[in-house]
Amino acid sequence: MKRLFTNATFVTMVDDVDTADALLVDDDGRIAYIGDAEEARRLADGAEEVDLGGAAVLPGLIDPHSHFTGALQYLLYADLSECTSFDEITETLKKFAAERNIGPDGVIMGNGYDQNNLVEQRHPDKSILNAVSTDVPVLITHVSNHMGVANDCLLELAGITPTTPDPDGGRYGRINGSGDLDGYAEEPAAMNPLYAVTTPRLGLDFAAMVPDMQRIYLEHGVTTCQDGATAPDMAKVLVGLARAGLLKMDIVSYPMWGSDVMATLADNAEFDSQSYTGHFRFGGLKMFLDGSPQGLTAWMTEPYVEGPDGEKDWVAYSTMTDEDAIAFAKMAIDSNHQLLCHCNGDAAADQLLRVYEAARDASDNPEKMALRPVMIHAQTARTDQYEKMAEIGMIPSIFSSHVWYWGDAHLRNLGSVRGGRVSACGDAERAGLPFTLHTDTPVLRPNLLEAAWCAVNRITKVGVQLDEDQKVTPYEAMRAITYNGAYQYSEEADKGTLEEGKLADLVVLDRNPLAVDPREIRDIQVLATIKEGETLYERDAK
């Protein structure tokens, strides 16, 4: 359906000054014309004209890393993000269970606690959750989603006992070294047996929930998002939603190491493509090499200030051996798939650079240099590592929101120098890298404007100014969530800038992020989100 959008400043993102007065969408949902309003009306030939009331319009925002299926946490889990003590966690979970009338056949789930924000300054243990229920399984997950805590009921149902060994790349918490479980589980290898019990009890109806899941992204102006660690069952869900025509925004999926990823792709071959079917496709494969810095599980080359038990030599650990990582990376390269890899610590970044180059050199794929591998998070990546990424064509997708949400914890845990340069976007820009910015939803809501604000301003929650040398300009930050995002997905021919022939994926804002005081970027409101010319979200008038 043809539509003509007028009375707005169209910020094309082709460069830092280019704007237009009107944008015409053709019947295929692509930009037919962008430029002068009078010429646009002449070309519109009676198309519906939409007056945008003086707003600013940018390319639809592109989420370069999140977990779309994980957004169900916002719908089904108790929100623990504001809890400041163990007692508040217990009371929040009790209230949630009572409101939902959760019985013995159900499960009580909570997400978003952060030991850095608790007065106890440590992770809860199973006694906190046993106080919620002894006959209903209870699981709470850390804000990073890399660790969690279970009650005794859930541990029993999962078959996890004091004699259960720690899995490779994970561990179970023990009480005072006695060997008895305290309910804590660290990293997916340890948490997956818990999810095997809890997930079937949630009674998931994705067809009913998917409009709300998509709204979480659309209300933040996102038109393309990611499911960044897709298990085989979730791949089936996403394929089913696509075939049913229930997906309205584009979703790119990356099957996760630890399952038969090639079987997942083979079973859904029509979606293993650069083209979307029903707004869904597979983009490549995903693996992870460490944990989270705020959880003290990011693998570092130099020790933390203190480890989880007060150690002075704690550097955490890798979740994969070089041998396994090379084999997985080579499988991705040989099959002509992009590889995404989670790396928070600089030791993990060293490992990824090492194993990817080894796997690429061993591959006979003639297209191997064009695959655009991605280092996800890159929280403590060093200057030399960014320079190496540029050399081998790797893209850093930086979790810049760490600056605000955990910058103060990083200063405590890593010291002023390393903590001060987390999310080093400045180094990435100077290395000439097309870096992207993400929020790792459901760790945080997909507020990419806030991610850009963090990259530009680098201010922590308590007002500490982190390393100003790592700041980027508003244009560079907005480029990271528009054009660079499209480039990461090899979709820059269709997305990322407002140019004739590209998809009419648009975000309508109440202010132009390139024209306001940089400190105001995160206060900008999304007024509407438009996908291929169709308005999918409009902010409620107040």
Side-chain angles (χ1 to χ4, degrees):
M1 178 181 68
K2 274 189 174 182
R3 299 181 85 188
L4 172 62
F5 295 97
T6 59
N7 191 16
T9 300
F10 294 87
V11 183
T12 68
M13 294 304 297
V14 171
D15 57 38
D16 60 352
V17 296
D18 189 51
T19 61
D21 300 321
L23 184 147
L24 177 64
V25 182
D26 67 18
D27 288 329
D28 295 321
R30 292 185 176 270
I31 299 172
Y33 174 81
I34 180 167
D36 175 72
E38 184 175 342
E39 177 65 8
R41 289 192 179 96
R42 186 185 70 79
L43 296 170
D45 192 27
E48 174 195 7
E49 182 168 341
V50 181
D51 186 320
L52 294 175
V57 180
L58 273 74
L61 305 185
I62 297 180
D63 155 47
H65 178 67
S66 72
H67 306 272
F68 174 75
T69 52
L72 63 86
Q73 292 183 9
Y74 295 125
L75 310 178
L76 300 174
Y77 294 11
D79 181 6
L80 307 179
S81 62
E82 299 299 319
C83 292
T84 60
S85 69
F86 290 171
D87 285 344
E88 287 188 7
I89 289 175
T90 299
E91 291 309 309
T92 299
L93 291 170
K94 283 182 176 179
K95 181 180 179 182
F96 177 82
E99 290 174 347
R100 302 272 179 130
N101 195 29
I102 298 173
D105 293 335
V107 61
I108 302 168
M109 301 285 287
N111 176 255
Y113 85 86
D114 187 347
Q115 85 283 3
N116 295 294
N117 297 333
L118 302 177
V119 295
E120 293 85 357
Q121 284 292 292
R122 63 181 177 87
H123 293 277
D125 58 43
K126 64 182 182 181
S127 68
I128 309 304
L129 305 187
N130 288 339
V132 177
S133 181
T134 57
D135 60 353
V136 177
V138 183
L139 176 64
I140 63 173
T141 51
H142 187 259
V143 64
S144 69
N145 277 315
H146 278 264
M147 50 208 72
V149 186
N151 68 345
D152 274 320
C153 178
L154 178 53
L155 291 171
E156 181 179 352
L157 289 170
I160 301 171
T161 71
T163 62
T164 300
D166 290 342
D168 291 339
R171 72 179 181 94
Y172 294 111
R174 312 283 173 170
I175 298 175
N176 296 326
S178 67
D180 190 20
L181 297 167
D182 67 8
Y184 176 80
E186 186 173 280
E187 300 304 330
M191 296 178 68
N192 285 340
L194 303 174
Y195 288 132
V197 174
T198 61
T199 301
R201 288 170 170 254
L202 287 170
L204 300 177
D205 183 349
F206 277 95
M209 293 187 297
V210 75
D212 289 333
M213 293 167 67
Q214 290 182 102
R215 183 184 172 90
I216 289 166
Y217 287 85
L218 292 169
E219 68 187 7
H220 288 99
V222 176
T223 51
T224 300
C225 78
Q226 184 181 114
D227 195 60
T230 310
D233 58 340
M234 288 297 104
K236 291 180 181 178
V237 167
L238 290 167
V239 164
L241 294 171
R243 286 179 171 152
L246 295 176
L247 300 181
K248 304 302 181 184
M249 57 189 297
D250 288 342
I251 300 174
V252 190
S253 165
Y254 291 80
M256 178 67 172
W257 171 76
S259 64
D260 190 343
V261 293
M262 298 311 292
T264 295
L265 297 178
D267 289 345
N268 305 284
E270 70 181 285
F271 297 92
D272 185 14
S273 168
Q274 188 62 32
S275 300
Y276 291 90
T277 299
H279 293 291
F280 177 74
R281 70 179 182 89
F282 292 108
L285 304 181
K286 168 79 181 295
M287 68 181 187
F288 72 102
L289 296 180
D290 70 343
S292 69
Q294 69 271 36
L296 303 179
T297 56
W299 185 27
M300 307 297 299
T301 57
E302 297 178 26
Y304 290 85
V305 173
E306 279 192 359
D309 296 314
E311 307 97 322
K312 297 301 183 182
D313 60 351
W314 178 254
V315 295
Y317 52 87
S318 175
T319 56
M320 293 178 73
T321 65
D322 272 21
E323 181 181 14
D324 287 346
I326 290 171
F328 190 83
K330 186 172 182 297
M331 179 168 59
I333 297 167
D334 285 346
S335 60
N336 210 41
H337 287 100
Q338 182 185 47
L339 178 72
L340 269 57
C341 184
H342 168 117
C343 297
N344 266 312
D346 67 327
D350 277 336
Q351 185 182 25
L352 175 59
L353 292 166
R354 179 172 67 247
V355 302
Y356 190 84
E357 199 165 26
R360 187 197 63 193
D361 291 348
S363 176
D364 293 327
N365 177 11
E367 305 297 325
K368 62 185 180 181
M369 301 303 293
L371 293 178
R372 302 180 185 177
V374 182
M375 182 184 293
I376 299 293
H377 304 323
Q379 274 308 297
T380 58
R382 305 183 307 265
T383 303
D384 64 292
Q385 292 173 328
Y386 283 121
E387 292 169 349
K388 183 65 174 179
M389 287 184 232
E391 179 185 323
I392 68 175
M394 183 175 286
I395 299 168
S397 186
I398 301 172
F399 194 171
S400 58
S401 303
H402 265 251
V403 168
W404 171 257
Y405 288 93
W406 298 286
D408 300 300
H410 296 331
L411 291 171
R412 291 195 303 271
N413 294 332
L414 299 173
S416 60
V417 176
R418 285 188 299 166
R421 71 175 302 280
V422 295
S423 301
C425 297
D427 278 351
E429 179 67 26
R430 284 185 289 273
L433 290 162
F435 70 93
T436 61
L437 303 176
H438 66 264
T439 63
D440 203 16
T441 302
V443 174
L444 297 173
R445 297 265 175 169
N447 189 345
L448 294 180
L449 288 172
E450 182 177 65
W453 177 88
C454 288
V456 169
N457 293 283
R458 296 186 60 79
I459 302 292
T460 74
K461 272 190 175 182
V462 301
V464 177
Q465 175 67 69
L466 298 189
D467 188 346
E468 293 194 72
D469 196 42
Q470 300 305 334
K471 287 182 175 181
V472 293
T473 68
Y475 174 71
E476 290 162 348
M478 294 306 299
R479 184 85 165 169
I481 57 176
T482 53
Y483 179 82
N484 290 2
Y487 180 87
Q488 180 182 303
Y489 289 127
S490 295
E491 296 183 23
E492 68 271 22
D494 284 325
K495 300 174 181 177
T497 58
L498 302 182
E499 298 180 84
E500 291 178 17
K502 290 193 174 185
L503 293 173
D505 291 358
L506 317 172
V507 57
V508 183
L509 306 174
D510 69 346
R511 284 166 285 170
N512 178 358
L514 304 188
V516 300
D517 184 317
R519 292 170 295 184
E520 298 177 6
I521 291 173
R522 73 169 172 181
D523 299 323
I524 293 172
Q525 299 293 321
V526 174
L527 302 179
T529 303
I530 297 164
K531 180 80 177 88
E532 296 171 30
E534 179 185 355
T535 302
L536 299 183
Y537 164 80
E538 285 188 280
R539 182 178 174 83
D540 295 334
K542 292 185 179 180

